[in-house]
Structure formats: C-alpha cells, structure tokens
Amino acid sequence: MARSLSGFLAQIVAVALICCSFAAAASIFQPISDSHRSAAVEIFDRSFGSLEETYEALRTFDVLGVERKPDVGTTACQSVSQTLASSSSNLKDVFYALKVNGVLKCELDAEIVEGIVSTLQTAVGSASSLLEFYHSIGGLVLVKDQALKGDLFLADAEGAFRSIKALSQSDGRWQYSSSNPESSTHAAGLALEALAGVISLSSSEIDQSLIGTTKNDILKLFEQAEKYDDGTVYFDEEIDAHESQGPLTSTWSVVRGITSFAAVTSGNLNLPGEKVLGLAKFFLGVGIPGGAKDFFNQVDSLACLENNRIAIPLILSLPATVNSLTRKDALKVKVSTVLGADAPPLMVKLVRAKDTPAIESQELKFDSESKVHVLDTLKKSVDVGKYIFVFEIVFHDPEHKKVYAVESKAEVPIFLTGAVKVGNAEIAVLDSDLGSTETQKNLDFAGENLVSLSANHLQKLRLRFQLTTPLGHPFKPHQAILKLTHGSKVDHIFVVGSTGKQFEIILDFLGLVEKFYYLSGKYEIQLTVGDAVMENSFFKVIGHLDLDLPEAPEKAPRPPVQPVDAYSRFGPKAELAHIFRAPEKRPPQELSLTFLGLTVLPLLGFIIGLLRLGVNLKNFPSAAAPALFAALFHLGIGAVLLLYVLFWLKLDLFTTLKILGFLGVFLLFVGHRTLSHLASTTSKVKSA
C-alpha cells in the first residue's frame, strides 16, 4: 500500500507536466517528420487487396520519400495491365489502375489505351451520377497527364460541366445523383475535382459565368466548415447521402477539389489564406492516424496544400516548448511548409508574451545551417512559469504574402523552467492549549538528515517552508502534499496550503484521532513538492513522528484492510529445504559378499547337474532356417537374463518392462518356430 501510494505521489508532478504539455500541444503544429515515414512503412507493409489500396500506398510513399519494395511495382503493373485490358472492369477499377500507372509508369499497349479512352468517353456521355462523372473524367485526365494519348479532349465539355453543376446545392454542397435529395460535403469535393477535369479536357473556354458560380459555391461551402479557436478548419457531416464519411475523408475530398479547381482556372477563388492554413492545421493536428485510409487522406491532402495556387500554408513550430533558465537554453523557432520544406526568406519576431510585460519585442536570428530562428537569451527579468509567446512572421519579399498563408500573430505556449529555492523550512510540535512550541527543528531538504519527533493527541504538528523563484518571487507549485504513514501501512495525506509567501499546515491531533483510527506508534513523514516548471521537484522522507493516541472506543472506526502486495502474492516463493530420512544401518561388506556367493551356488549346481546327466546338442536343428530360429531363441533367453542384470544395476522398472515386452514377443515367435520343428522331427522318427 505504501509503495503504491508513494509511486502515485511521485507521479503527480509528471502527470501535471503531461497534462500541461497536452494543453500546449493543442496550439502547436509540427510539419511532417520522420515519424510519419516510419509509420507509413508499418501501416502499408503488407500485400494490397485492390488497386485503390495499392495507389494509396504508392502515393503515400512518393509524397513522404519512402523507398518502396521492388516487387510491389512488378505485381502492381501486372494488375494494371489486366484491369485495363479486361472489358468487364468497372469505371472505378479503371480509374485507380490509371492512378497506379501514373506512379509506376507501366508499359501499356497502344491498343489497350485506345480502348480505355473510348470506354471513358462513352461513360462521360452516358453518366447519370456524380461518381460516374468523377471516375470517367478523372480517368481521361490521367490518360492526358501521362501522355498516353495526344490531343485528348471531351466532345461536349460544357455539357458535362452543366450536368455536374446541376447536382450542386445552394449551400455549396453536392448531390451524388438527382434521384437522391441528400447533399454531401464529400460529394462537393468530388464534384469540384471532376469540374476541374472537364476544364482541362475542354478544347474551348468554358462559360465564365459557370466558373464564377462554382467559385461562389466554394465560398458557401466554407461557410459550413467547423472551426476551432486556434484557427483549425475542417468539414464533418453526420449523415452522408452515399456513405458515412469522417472528418478526414470529407476534408480530404474538399482539399483535393478546391486545389484542383484553382489549378485550372484563371484568377483566384477569393478564399482567405487563413482558411487554407486552418485546413493544414487540421491535418497536422491529427498526428499519425492508425488506419491506412486516414493516413493516406492526411498525407495526400497535405501534398495538395504543399503546392497550390490559392495559398501555400507555412507552419511555425518549436523543436522544444520547454526551455531551462538554469541551462540558459536558446529559444528556437522553425518555419516550414506542411511537408517540412524550407520557407522563403523571412523574419521571425517575438512580439510579446500574453499577460506579462516581462517579454518585449525581439527579433530572432536565422541560423542558415539548422534552418531555425534562434533567440539566444531571454531578458533577465523573465522568471520561471508558463507563458504564451506571440510570434510574428515578416516576409523579406512582400510579394510572398500573395503566395503563402501564415498566421498574423502566432500564439505558442512556452514553459520556462528553473530551480526553485526552498527556505525557512521547519517542523514543530505545538502545545494544544497554550500554542507554545514544545519541539522545533529546522529542515534541510538538500541533506539526508531525518528529524525525530514525538507528540500526543493533545498536541499539534506544524510544518512551514517558503518557495522562491530564481528572481526571488514567491512560487506556488502545482502540488504540495504532506503524508504520514503508520507502521501498519495506513496512509494519511494532507494538502499544504499557502499564506502569501509561506506554506504552512497545522495538524491538530485531537481532532484527527478518528481519522488516524486511534493508531499510536511511529509515523513516517513525507513531503512532496512539485510543479511543471520546477526543475528540483522532490518527494522526500523528512523524519518520523512517535504519536501517542488514546485507546480506541468500542465503536470507533477500524483501519481499512490493506491490499495484499502483488509482489509478495505472485512473486517467487521461499526455497524449500527438504530433510530426507537418514539411511538405515547396513550390514558389513563381508556379510553381503558371503550372501552373494550363496546365491550363485544354485547356478553352479545347475551346471554340474547338466554335465552329470550328459547333456548334448544332438537334437539341435541341422537345417539352415530351423537352426537360425533355435539360435535366436537361445540368444533371446540370454538377452532376458542380461536385462535382469541391467535392471539390478541401473535400469528402472518401467524401462525394464518395456524392453521385456519386446523381448517376450520375439521369444514367443522364434520359440514357437523352434519347438514346431522339433515336434515335426520327433513325429517323423516315431513313424519310421
């Protein structure tokens, strides 16, 4: 019990730090890193069941710069060729086969390409749903982009554009088909990407009024977006007309749609850069998704945002959000794209810190080798604590404001840690009636000296200490806990309160006798002081208290039953020392040898008797086969006698019985053949 509670108290500071770190991480976004590359290898390290899964893996590897397995390309190209050559392949399979081919550059026959183009163009003309338009037009765009066929255009591009646009709704969302009235954000992204494909495949200019209306639809669509206080923007929908879509899938669809549409249209979408930056924050804030589909949606979306015509988001990140004033750590800031590429020339300024005048505007120096902006030292007036630093990004070239999207004022939580001084620490036993000090001892938390006190139920225990920061300011930690532990492992925990500059707690034992279960005896005194910014947080035994409490009345509460220590219950048991019975007294060796000789005498008498009777081998078979069986029979009998000797010397009973079983069957067989031969010979002699 004591061990577990001690561990609990020792971890309080760590839990507080973790919780604060989580809160800080909510406003800090890190670009794609090696962690994503390692995760991609684990998530996609398997055989792919479909061309769609194959494309998602290949696309993810290409964006992250991860080397793919050599055999993946060969297998995937075979699947691509089979799919494109088959007349039974549906539009979705053809679409993803062309996507895989765009990554692997497989060798395709010209006749297959001609057949696919004809099939896709026919599908565009007969399409009645959004997904049919999306897959057929997307397939034609892939054929054109891969230069598989020159001069590829849609026969009636504007008609296809109007057919897709007819599925749009007044709120910027789209329907999957005219027969289903439900609208969808996910469908809106697919529709915008399909419209972008129509524009790229058109041989003439599309009606600008249609394009202008579509741009307005995009602005209306973003009015439906969800937002967080930190600027994060994403799309979510509880019910989807086609299938249930999560935030990652819906937002991925919109990102692909708007970036594709912006790439093929003139002018701009009038979409604020902060919206694009908010989308980037959403995908980076997800961390590393556990599923392959979500992982692909995240990486593919960030790749689309990495190079788009609306606004390229730049992310301000910190390699470390905890800086030590004791070590004089430099404050480092990195500005990069969402995939970690270098930002254009710019300046980073620390404008201020919220709710404190200690931080003034300072410009960070750019380190060209590490590509980070560095503030070597903070001003001496900065003390330990949690701050919200406000950074400003200023481009060297004003034209970059039109290309990149950055936060005007980026707020980042920073922890500045340091060593907190513990002073004027004392512990005393007070007289309950007069309040005078009976025993008082100073505490040295840096040393190993333990205090020893004694008190009764009419007295009080007082603990005092002061905490000051490196600049001499009073410091209030997250945790200040006093614990008294009885010899029976019963713990009593108290929170130490603060009165201005001083921490103090007074325990009146007269009012605590029931809480202490009237348990007299020796109590261990432990003090825990910790904080996320306190580098010298401690959990320390400061001494012992011999407490004399009155006898417990009959109906007094009993101490709680202490749980059994799992280590003592399930750990290794004590070694058992078994004492064997002393061996019985044995006869002298001479007597044993005499008895052995007496047991051999019957055998000698048997041999002498055989000689006196005139034993001979006249009846031993002379023919080859009977003679062999007779010899084996005698050898078997000898083997049985030898087995008895081995049993006496070394073999156990079970081994002997197993061997004897095999020998018995053998003797039964050869003995039967031998005796049959002798009986046959005897009958022939008598008949003659």
Side-chain angles (χ1 to χ4, degrees):
M1 178 70 174
R3 182 180 301 175
S4 60
L5 283 176
S6 299
F8 168 75
L9 290 174
Q11 292 173 0
I12 287 179
V13 177
V15 171
L17 178 58
I18 292 173
C19 293
C20 293
S21 300
F22 283 169
S27 298
I28 297 178
F29 302 91
Q30 301 292 343
I32 293 296
S33 63
D34 290 337
S35 299
H36 276 78
R37 296 177 179 89
S38 300
V41 174
E42 294 180 5
I43 293 175
F44 293 102
D45 186 19
R46 56 180 175 82
S47 58
F48 310 114
S50 66
L51 285 171
E52 181 180 1
E53 294 177 352
T54 303
Y55 167 71
E56 291 172 355
L58 295 175
R59 168 69 170 166
T60 302
F61 288 161
D62 272 13
V63 172
L64 298 180
V66 177
E67 184 178 357
R68 56 178 179 264
K69 295 182 178 180
D71 58 333
V72 173
T74 304
T75 305
C77 280
Q78 292 176 354
S79 182
V80 167
S81 299
Q82 293 173 0
T83 302
L84 296 180
S86 175
S87 59
S88 61
S89 299
N90 57 41
L91 289 176
K92 182 179 179 180
D93 291 339
V94 171
F95 174 72
Y96 281 105
L98 291 171
K99 274 185 169 289
V100 172
N101 183 67
V103 178
L104 298 178
K105 311 300 181 186
C106 306
E107 295 183 3
L108 299 177
D109 293 338
E111 293 182 2
I112 294 178
V113 175
E114 288 290 343
I116 289 299
V117 171
S118 176
T119 301
L120 293 175
Q121 287 178 333
T122 302
V124 173
S126 61
S128 59
S129 69
L130 178 59
L131 289 178
E132 291 177 350
F133 279 114
Y134 177 75
H135 290 135
S136 57
I137 293 173
L140 291 173
V141 172
L142 291 169
V143 172
K144 181 179 179 180
D145 291 343
Q146 297 169 28
L148 299 177
K149 179 178 174 59
D151 300 330
L152 180 59
F153 299 103
L154 279 178
D156 184 13
E158 188 164 316
F161 196 103
R162 292 180 183 276
S163 298
I164 298 173
K165 186 67 177 67
L167 298 174
S168 64
Q169 303 296 296
S170 59
D171 59 358
R173 296 188 294 178
W174 248 263
Q175 294 176 326
Y176 280 102
S177 65
S178 58
S179 60
N180 194 330
E182 293 290 341
S183 56
S184 165
T185 302
H186 180 262
L190 300 181
L192 291 173
E193 189 174 354
L195 292 176
V198 171
I199 296 174
S200 65
L201 293 172
S202 176
S203 58
S204 59
E205 187 176 0
I206 301 293
D207 188 353
Q208 290 300 308
S209 63
L210 292 174
I211 295 178
T213 304
T214 305
K215 290 182 178 180
N216 290 332
D217 290 340
I218 293 176
L219 298 180
K220 293 178 182 178
L221 181 64
F222 271 84
E223 294 177 0
Q224 312 295 324
E226 304 285 344
K227 300 177 182 178
Y228 287 146
D229 293 338
D230 58 5
T232 298
V233 176
Y234 69 98
F235 294 88
D236 194 10
E237 49 197 356
E238 295 182 359
I239 301 177
D240 192 288
H242 180 63
E243 57 182 359
S244 178
Q245 306 290 350
L248 272 172
T249 303
S250 298
T251 311
W252 161 79
S253 176
V254 173
V255 167
R256 283 197 61 89
I258 62 173
T259 54
S260 300
F261 193 80
V264 297
T265 56
S266 58
N268 56 63
L269 300 182
N270 296 322
L271 190 64
E274 62 183 21
K275 300 287 187 181
V276 180
L277 182 61
L279 293 172
K281 286 183 175 181
F282 168 70
F283 285 107
L284 293 177
V286 170
I288 300 179
K293 188 69 175 180
D294 287 342
F295 194 95
F296 163 75
N297 289 339
Q298 180 196 45
V299 173
D300 188 54
S301 300
L302 293 174
C304 293
L305 295 173
E306 178 82 358
N307 186 16
N308 70 89
R309 290 188 62 250
I310 308 171
I312 300 175
L314 294 180
I315 303 299
L316 184 145
S317 59
L318 275 71
T321 58
V322 180
N323 289 57
S324 172
L325 297 178
T326 305
R327 300 190 302 267
K328 297 182 179 180
D329 292 341
L331 179 64
K332 298 180 180 180
V333 175
K334 183 176 179 62
V335 181
S336 63
T337 65
V338 292
L339 295 183
D342 295 336
L346 51 80
M347 175 183 63
V348 177
K349 294 176 63 177
L350 174 58
V351 180
R352 59 187 174 86
K354 296 182 68 175
D355 303 327
T356 176
I359 305 295
E360 298 179 358
S361 179
Q362 302 177 67
E363 180 180 340
L364 280 67
K365 298 180 181 179
F366 181 68
D367 186 351
S368 57
E369 293 184 3
S370 59
K371 305 296 182 181
V372 297
H373 301 261
V374 182
L375 182 62
D376 292 329
T377 56
L378 294 169
K379 293 189 176 181
K380 295 182 178 180
S381 59
V382 180
D383 210 344
V384 298
K386 176 186 176 182
Y387 298 89
I388 304 295
F389 282 9
V390 181
F391 294 96
E392 181 182 11
I393 297 176
V394 180
F395 291 105
H396 292 172
D397 186 356
E399 291 297 320
H400 285 157
K401 290 183 179 180
K402 303 176 183 178
V403 181
Y404 297 94
V406 297
E407 284 188 280
S408 57
K409 295 290 188 297
E411 299 182 358
V412 181
I414 299 290
F415 290 93
L416 298 180
T417 65
V420 175
K421 181 181 178 182
V422 185
N424 298 330
E426 63 180 31
I427 188 169
V429 175
L430 307 179
D431 183 80
S432 181
D433 295 331
L434 304 176
S436 59
T437 302
E438 180 175 308
T439 306
Q440 178 174 316
K441 294 187 178 182
N442 296 327
L443 299 175
D444 181 14
F445 295 115
E448 298 295 333
N449 296 330
L450 301 179
V451 300
S452 180
L453 302 171
S454 61
N456 57 45
H457 67 287
L458 299 177
Q459 294 177 315
K460 300 178 181 179
L461 180 69
R462 183 184 67 193
L463 173 66
R464 289 177 177 175
F465 59 91
Q466 292 181 351
L467 299 176
T468 54
T469 66
L471 295 185
H473 300 145
F475 180 76
K476 186 176 181 179
H478 289 153
Q479 304 291 341
I481 296 175
L482 176 68
K483 186 176 77 167
L484 300 181
T485 303
H486 189 257
S488 61
K489 309 303 180 184
V490 178
D491 295 330
H492 306 283
I493 299 175
F494 306 92
V495 177
V496 183
S498 63
T499 56
K501 297 182 179 180
Q502 185 167 260
F503 286 82
E504 182 181 66
I505 184 172
I506 298 178
L507 301 181
D508 187 353
F509 295 121
L510 184 60
L512 295 173
V513 288
E514 287 194 2
K515 184 175 181 179
F516 278 69
Y517 306 107
Y518 295 89
L519 293 177
S520 300
K522 191 174 185 180
Y523 285 80
E524 183 182 65
I525 308 173
Q526 298 175 345
L527 179 63
T528 301
V529 177
D531 191 273
V533 299
M534 182 177 175
E535 294 180 357
N536 56 333
S537 300
F538 61 87
F539 167 68
K540 186 175 180 62
V541 177
I542 59 177
H544 300 88
L545 172 68
D546 285 323
L547 187 58
D548 184 15
L549 299 179
E551 292 292 332
E554 184 178 352
K555 297 183 179 180
R558 299 296 179 183
V561 178
Q562 301 301 309
V564 178
D565 187 5
Y567 182 81
S568 62
R569 182 176 181 182
F570 300 106
K573 303 299 181 182
E575 183 178 356
L576 296 177
H578 185 74
I579 301 177
F580 291 92
R581 186 180 62 181
E584 297 180 359
K585 187 177 180 181
R586 296 183 178 183
Q589 184 178 6
E590 294 78 6
L591 180 61
S592 298
L593 293 176
T594 302
F595 181 78
L596 176 61
L598 293 175
T599 57
V600 174
L601 286 177
L603 177 61
L604 295 177
F606 174 72
I607 296 174
I608 294 172
L610 292 177
L611 296 176
R612 293 294 300 270
L613 293 174
V615 175
N616 56 67
L617 300 177
K618 292 180 180 181
N619 290 331
F620 196 87
S622 57
L628 176 61
F629 284 114
L632 291 176
F633 177 71
H634 286 83
L635 289 176
I637 293 176
V640 172
L641 296 176
L642 178 61
L643 179 62
Y644 289 161
V645 174
L646 293 176
F647 170 65
W648 179 264
L649 295 176
K650 59 185 296 186
L651 294 182
D652 58 83
L653 178 62
F654 296 102
T655 304
T656 304
L657 290 176
K658 285 191 293 185
I659 299 175
L660 185 60
F662 289 111
L663 288 176
V665 174
F666 173 75
L667 285 173
L668 180 63
F669 175 74
V670 296
H672 178 267
R673 297 298 298 268
T674 303
L675 294 176
S676 297
H677 173 74
L678 292 176
S680 175
T681 304
T682 304
S683 62
K684 289 180 180 180
V685 171
K686 290 181 178 180
S687 62

Coordinates of all heavy atoms in Angstrom, one line a residue, residues 142-193:
L142 N -6.2 11.5 -66.3 CA -4.9 10.7 -66.1 C -4.3 10.3 -67.4 O -3.0 10.3 -67.5 CB -5.3 9.5 -65.2 CG -5.7 9.8 -63.7 CD1 -6.2 8.6 -63.1 CD2 -4.5 10.3 -63.0
V143 N -5.1 9.9 -68.3 CA -4.5 9.5 -69.6 C -3.8 10.7 -70.3 O -2.7 10.5 -70.8 CB -5.7 8.9 -70.6 CG1 -5.1 8.7 -72.0 CG2 -6.2 7.6 -70.0
K144 N -4.4 11.8 -70.2 CA -3.8 13.0 -70.8 C -2.5 13.4 -70.0 O -1.5 13.8 -70.7 CB -4.8 14.2 -70.7 CG -4.3 15.5 -71.4 CD -5.4 16.6 -71.3 CE -4.8 17.9 -71.9 NZ -5.8 19.0 -71.9
D145 N -2.6 13.4 -68.7 CA -1.4 13.8 -67.9 C -0.2 12.9 -68.1 O 0.9 13.3 -68.0 CB -1.8 13.9 -66.4 CG -2.7 15.1 -66.1 OD1 -2.9 16.0 -67.0 OD2 -3.4 15.0 -65.0
Q146 N -0.5 11.6 -68.3 CA 0.5 10.6 -68.5 C 1.0 10.5 -70.0 O 1.8 9.7 -70.3 CB 0.0 9.2 -68.0 CG -0.3 9.2 -66.5 CD -1.0 7.9 -66.1 OE1 -0.8 6.9 -66.8 NE2 -1.8 8.0 -65.1
A147 N 0.4 11.4 -70.8 CA 0.8 11.4 -72.3 C 0.7 10.1 -72.9 O 1.4 9.7 -73.8 CB 2.3 11.9 -72.4
L148 N -0.4 9.4 -72.5 CA -0.7 8.1 -73.2 C -1.4 8.2 -74.5 O -1.3 7.4 -75.4 CB -1.5 7.2 -72.2 CG -0.9 6.9 -70.9 CD1 -1.9 6.1 -70.0 CD2 0.4 6.1 -71.0
K149 N -2.0 9.4 -74.7 CA -2.7 9.7 -76.0 C -2.7 11.2 -76.2 O -3.0 12.0 -75.3 CB -4.1 9.2 -75.9 CG -4.9 9.4 -77.2 CD -6.3 8.8 -77.2 CE -7.1 9.2 -78.4 NZ -6.5 8.8 -79.6
G150 N -2.2 11.6 -77.3 CA -2.2 13.1 -77.6 C -3.5 13.6 -78.1 O -4.4 12.9 -78.6
D151 N -3.7 14.9 -77.9 CA -4.9 15.6 -78.4 C -6.2 15.0 -77.9 O -7.1 14.6 -78.6 CB -5.0 15.7 -79.9 CG -3.8 16.4 -80.5 OD1 -3.3 17.3 -79.8 OD2 -3.4 16.0 -81.6
L152 N -6.2 14.8 -76.5 CA -7.4 14.2 -75.9 C -8.3 15.3 -75.4 O -7.9 16.1 -74.5 CB -6.9 13.3 -74.8 CG -8.0 12.5 -74.0 CD1 -8.8 11.7 -74.9 CD2 -7.4 11.7 -72.9
F153 N -9.5 15.4 -75.9 CA -10.5 16.4 -75.5 C -11.8 15.7 -75.3 O -12.1 14.7 -75.9 CB -10.5 17.5 -76.5 CG -9.2 18.2 -76.7 CD1 -8.4 18.0 -77.8 CD2 -8.8 19.2 -75.7 CE1 -7.3 18.7 -78.0 CE2 -7.6 19.8 -75.9 CZ -6.8 19.6 -77.0
L154 N -12.7 16.4 -74.6 CA -14.1 16.0 -74.4 C -14.9 16.6 -75.6 O -14.7 17.8 -75.9 CB -14.7 16.4 -73.1 CG -14.4 15.6 -71.9 CD1 -15.0 16.2 -70.6 CD2 -14.9 14.2 -72.0
A155 N -15.8 15.8 -76.2 CA -16.6 16.3 -77.3 C -17.5 17.4 -76.8 O -17.7 18.4 -77.5 CB -17.4 15.1 -77.9
D156 N -18.2 17.3 -75.7 CA -19.1 18.3 -75.2 C -18.7 18.6 -73.7 O -19.4 18.2 -72.8 CB -20.5 17.8 -75.3 CG -21.6 18.8 -74.9 OD1 -21.2 20.0 -74.8 OD2 -22.7 18.5 -74.6
A157 N -17.6 19.3 -73.6 CA -17.1 19.6 -72.3 C -18.1 20.5 -71.5 O -18.3 20.3 -70.3 CB -15.7 20.3 -72.4
E158 N -18.6 21.5 -72.1 CA -19.5 22.4 -71.4 C -20.8 21.7 -71.0 O -21.4 22.0 -69.9 CB -19.9 23.7 -72.2 CG -20.6 24.7 -71.5 CD -20.6 26.1 -72.2 OE1 -19.6 26.5 -72.7 OE2 -21.7 26.7 -72.2
G159 N -21.3 20.8 -71.8 CA -22.4 20.0 -71.4 C -22.2 19.1 -70.2 O -23.0 19.0 -69.3
A160 N -21.0 18.5 -70.2 CA -20.6 17.7 -69.0 C -20.5 18.6 -67.7 O -20.9 18.2 -66.6 CB -19.3 17.0 -69.2
F161 N -20.0 19.8 -67.9 CA -19.8 20.8 -66.8 C -21.2 21.1 -66.3 O -21.4 21.1 -65.0 CB -19.1 22.0 -67.3 CG -18.6 22.9 -66.2 CD1 -17.3 23.0 -65.9 CD2 -19.5 23.7 -65.5 CE1 -16.8 23.8 -64.9 CE2 -19.0 24.5 -64.5 CZ -17.7 24.6 -64.1
R162 N -22.2 21.4 -67.2 CA -23.5 21.8 -66.7 C -24.2 20.6 -66.0 O -24.9 20.7 -65.1 CB -24.3 22.2 -67.9 CG -23.9 23.6 -68.5 CD -24.7 24.0 -69.6 NE -24.2 25.2 -70.2 CZ -24.5 26.5 -69.8 NH1 -25.4 26.6 -68.7 NH2 -24.1 27.5 -70.4
S163 N -23.9 19.4 -66.5 CA -24.6 18.2 -65.9 C -24.1 18.0 -64.5 O -24.9 17.6 -63.6 CB -24.3 16.9 -66.8 OG -24.8 17.0 -68.1
I164 N -22.8 18.2 -64.3 CA -22.2 18.0 -62.9 C -22.7 19.2 -62.0 O -23.1 19.0 -60.9 CB -20.7 18.0 -63.0 CG1 -20.2 16.8 -63.8 CG2 -20.1 18.0 -61.6 CD1 -18.7 16.8 -64.0
K165 N -22.7 20.4 -62.6 CA -23.2 21.6 -61.8 C -24.6 21.5 -61.4 O -25.0 22.1 -60.4 CB -22.9 22.9 -62.7 CG -23.2 24.2 -61.9 CD -22.2 24.4 -60.9 CE -22.4 25.7 -60.2 NZ -23.7 25.7 -59.4
A166 N -25.4 20.8 -62.2 CA -26.8 20.6 -61.9 C -27.1 19.9 -60.6 O -28.1 20.0 -60.0 CB -27.6 19.9 -63.0
L167 N -26.0 19.2 -60.1 CA -26.2 18.4 -58.8 C -25.8 19.3 -57.6 O -25.9 18.8 -56.5 CB -25.3 17.2 -58.9 CG -25.6 16.2 -59.9 CD1 -24.6 15.0 -60.0 CD2 -27.0 15.6 -59.7
S168 N -25.4 20.5 -57.8 CA -25.0 21.4 -56.7 C -26.2 21.9 -56.0 O -27.3 22.0 -56.5 CB -24.1 22.5 -57.2 OG -24.9 23.4 -58.1
Q169 N -25.9 22.3 -54.7 CA -27.0 22.8 -53.8 C -26.7 24.3 -53.5 O -25.6 24.7 -53.6 CB -27.1 22.0 -52.6 CG -27.4 20.5 -52.9 CD -28.7 20.3 -53.6 OE1 -29.8 20.6 -53.0 NE2 -28.7 19.8 -54.8
S170 N -27.6 24.9 -52.9 CA -27.5 26.3 -52.6 C -26.5 26.6 -51.5 O -25.9 27.7 -51.3 CB -28.8 26.9 -52.2 OG -29.4 26.3 -51.0
D171 N -26.2 25.6 -50.6 CA -25.2 25.8 -49.5 C -23.8 25.4 -49.9 O -23.0 25.3 -49.0 CB -25.7 25.0 -48.3 CG -25.8 23.5 -48.6 OD1 -25.6 23.1 -49.7 OD2 -26.2 22.7 -47.6
G172 N -23.6 25.1 -51.2 CA -22.2 24.7 -51.6 C -21.9 23.3 -51.6 O -20.9 22.8 -52.1
R173 N -22.9 22.5 -51.1 CA -22.7 21.0 -51.1 C -23.3 20.4 -52.4 O -24.0 21.1 -53.2 CB -23.3 20.4 -49.9 CG -22.6 20.8 -48.6 CD -23.1 20.1 -47.4 NE -24.5 20.3 -47.1 CZ -25.2 19.7 -46.1 NH1 -24.6 18.8 -45.3 NH2 -26.4 20.0 -45.9
W174 N -23.0 19.1 -52.7 CA -23.4 18.5 -53.9 C -24.3 17.2 -53.6 O -24.1 16.6 -52.5 CB -22.2 18.1 -54.7 CG -22.0 18.9 -56.0 CD1 -22.4 18.4 -57.2 CD2 -21.4 20.1 -56.2 NE1 -22.1 19.4 -58.2 CE2 -21.4 20.4 -57.6 CE3 -20.8 21.0 -55.3 CZ2 -20.9 21.6 -58.1 CZ3 -20.3 22.2 -55.8 CH2 -20.3 22.5 -57.2
Q175 N -25.0 16.8 -54.6 CA -25.7 15.5 -54.5 C -24.9 14.5 -55.3 O -24.2 14.8 -56.2 CB -27.1 15.7 -55.1 CG -28.1 16.5 -54.4 CD -29.4 16.7 -55.1 OE1 -29.4 16.7 -56.4 NE2 -30.5 16.7 -54.4
Y176 N -25.1 13.2 -54.9 CA -24.4 12.2 -55.6 C -25.2 11.8 -56.9 O -24.6 11.4 -57.9 CB -24.3 10.9 -54.8 CG -23.1 11.0 -53.8 CD1 -23.3 11.2 -52.5 CD2 -21.8 10.7 -54.3 CE1 -22.3 11.3 -51.6 CE2 -20.8 10.8 -53.4 CZ -21.0 11.1 -52.0 OH -19.9 11.1 -51.2
S177 N -26.5 12.1 -56.9 CA -27.3 11.8 -58.0 C -28.6 12.6 -57.9 O -29.0 13.0 -56.8 CB -27.6 10.3 -58.3 OG -28.4 9.9 -57.2
S178 N -29.3 12.9 -59.0 CA -30.5 13.6 -59.0 C -31.6 12.9 -58.3 O -32.6 13.5 -57.8 CB -30.9 14.0 -60.4 OG -31.1 12.8 -61.2
S179 N -31.5 11.5 -58.2 CA -32.6 10.7 -57.6 C -32.5 10.7 -56.1 O -33.4 10.2 -55.4 CB -32.5 9.3 -58.1 OG -31.2 8.7 -57.8
N180 N -31.4 11.2 -55.5 CA -31.2 11.2 -54.1 C -31.1 12.7 -53.6 O -30.1 13.4 -54.0 CB -29.9 10.5 -53.7 CG -29.9 10.2 -52.2 OD1 -30.4 10.9 -51.4 ND2 -29.2 9.1 -51.8
P181 N -32.0 13.2 -52.8 CA -32.0 14.6 -52.5 C -31.0 15.0 -51.4 O -30.7 16.2 -51.2 CB -33.4 14.8 -51.9 CG -33.8 13.5 -51.4 CD -33.2 12.5 -52.3
E182 N -30.4 14.0 -50.7 CA -29.4 14.3 -49.7 C -28.1 14.9 -50.3 O -27.6 14.4 -51.4 CB -29.0 13.1 -48.9 CG -30.2 12.5 -48.1 CD -30.5 13.4 -46.9 OE1 -29.6 14.2 -46.5 OE2 -31.6 13.2 -46.4
S183 N -27.6 16.0 -49.7 CA -26.4 16.6 -50.2 C -25.2 16.3 -49.3 O -25.4 15.9 -48.1 CB -26.6 18.2 -50.3 OG -27.0 18.7 -49.0
S184 N -24.0 16.5 -49.8 CA -22.8 16.0 -49.0 C -21.7 16.9 -49.3 O -21.4 17.4 -50.4 CB -22.5 14.6 -49.5 OG -21.2 14.2 -49.1
T185 N -20.9 17.1 -48.2 CA -19.6 17.8 -48.4 C -18.6 17.0 -49.1 O -17.8 17.5 -49.9 CB -19.1 18.2 -47.0 OG1 -20.1 19.0 -46.3 CG2 -17.8 19.0 -47.1
H186 N -18.6 15.7 -48.8 CA -17.7 14.8 -49.5 C -17.9 14.9 -51.0 O -17.0 14.9 -51.9 CB -17.8 13.4 -49.0 CG -16.9 12.4 -49.6 ND1 -17.3 11.6 -50.6 CD2 -15.6 12.1 -49.4 CE1 -16.3 10.8 -51.0 NE2 -15.2 11.1 -50.3
A187 N -19.2 14.8 -51.4 CA -19.6 14.9 -52.8 C -19.2 16.2 -53.4 O -18.8 16.3 -54.6 CB -21.1 14.7 -52.9
A188 N -19.2 17.3 -52.7 CA -18.8 18.6 -53.2 C -17.3 18.6 -53.6 O -16.9 19.1 -54.7 CB -19.0 19.7 -52.1
G189 N -16.5 17.9 -52.8 CA -15.1 17.8 -53.2 C -14.9 17.0 -54.5 O -14.1 17.4 -55.4
L190 N -15.6 15.9 -54.6 CA -15.5 15.1 -55.8 C -16.0 15.9 -57.0 O -15.4 15.8 -58.1 CB -16.3 13.8 -55.6 CG -15.9 12.8 -54.5 CD1 -16.8 11.6 -54.5 CD2 -14.5 12.4 -54.6
A191 N -17.1 16.6 -56.8 CA -17.6 17.4 -57.9 C -16.6 18.5 -58.4 O -16.5 18.7 -59.6 CB -18.9 18.0 -57.5
L192 N -16.0 19.2 -57.5 CA -15.0 20.2 -57.9 C -13.9 19.6 -58.6 O -13.4 20.2 -59.6 CB -14.6 20.9 -56.6 CG -15.6 21.8 -55.9 CD1 -15.1 22.3 -54.6 CD2 -16.0 23.0 -56.8
E193 N -13.4 18.4 -58.2 CA -12.3 17.8 -58.9 C -12.7 17.3 -60.3 O -12.0 17.4 -61.3 CB -11.8 16.6 -58.1 CG -10.5 16.0 -58.6 CD -9.9 14.9 -57.7 OE1 -10.5 14.7 -56.6 OE2 -8.9 14.3 -58.1

